[in-house]
Amino acid sequence: MQNLADQPVQNKSTSRIVPTRLAHFVIRSRNVSEVVEWYKTVFEADAVFDNGNLAFLYFDAEHHRIAVGEIPGLEDPNPNVSGIDHVAFSYRNIVDLLETYVRLKELGIVPYFKIDHGMTTSFYYKDPDGNQVELQVDNFETRDEAHAYFRSPAFAENPLGVEIDPDWLVTRLRAGEAPEKLLSSGTVGAREPNADGASA
């Protein structure tokens, strides 16, 4: 008898079949409680399950976005081996990103790398185990605009971007500057402050 898996698919669509979303990621940790508290703090997340050795966290419509499981004796992440470098999370707008930056800074959680990539404004953090997490906001309104920037001479010349000062952006926001003016929209380098605080 022929296996159903070996039978041809009837009326197969000619369009691509792709995942609908990235569902979650899982962290192996030697210190679950500290790592779980860090992610709960950073993302204002809740635990749908946490038995002290394994935790599942959520902060949106997904049943869990992050899971953390304890494995004793693990070594620190090694940047000299191949693997996933970091995981990135997008915020709705620059205001939400900056308000999150301020909230975390007040709790002693600060980014080790702050950069205007051109297509995004990004703050990079490390969790207690050294895993890298990027909090970002898109600098363009549409994917097509971002793709156009990726294909531009400006991106080819500087694909990484330029470092920025989040406190300078917060100061401008608090002073009443329109949030959209805080986004570079691909003009990488235009947002670094001079010594007097003015835009370069």
Side-chain angles (χ1 to χ4, degrees), residues 77-119:
N78 186 345
N80 297 316
V81 299
S82 60
I84 295 174
D85 184 77
H86 67 276
V87 180
F89 294 85
S90 290
Y91 282 80
R92 291 183 305 169
N93 51 53
I94 187 65
V95 175
D96 285 358
L97 180 65
L98 292 176
E99 293 294 352
T100 298
Y101 163 78
V102 170
R103 176 178 63 84
L104 295 178
K105 183 180 179 181
E106 291 174 349
L107 296 172
I109 300 175
V110 295
Y112 68 91
F113 191 43
K114 298 86 65 179
I115 191 162
D116 179 349
H117 282 304
M119 62 286 188

Side-chain angles (χ1 to χ4, degrees), residues 22-36:
L22 178 63
H24 64 265
F25 70 98
V26 181
I27 299 169
R28 295 173 296 179
S29 177
R30 61 189 176 193
N31 185 14
V32 165
S33 60
E34 186 177 357
V35 171
V36 166

Side-chain angles (χ1 to χ4, degrees), residues 63-74:
H63 47 73
H64 76 282
R65 283 292 181 196
I66 303 166
V68 185
E70 184 162 12
I71 301 179
L74 290 176

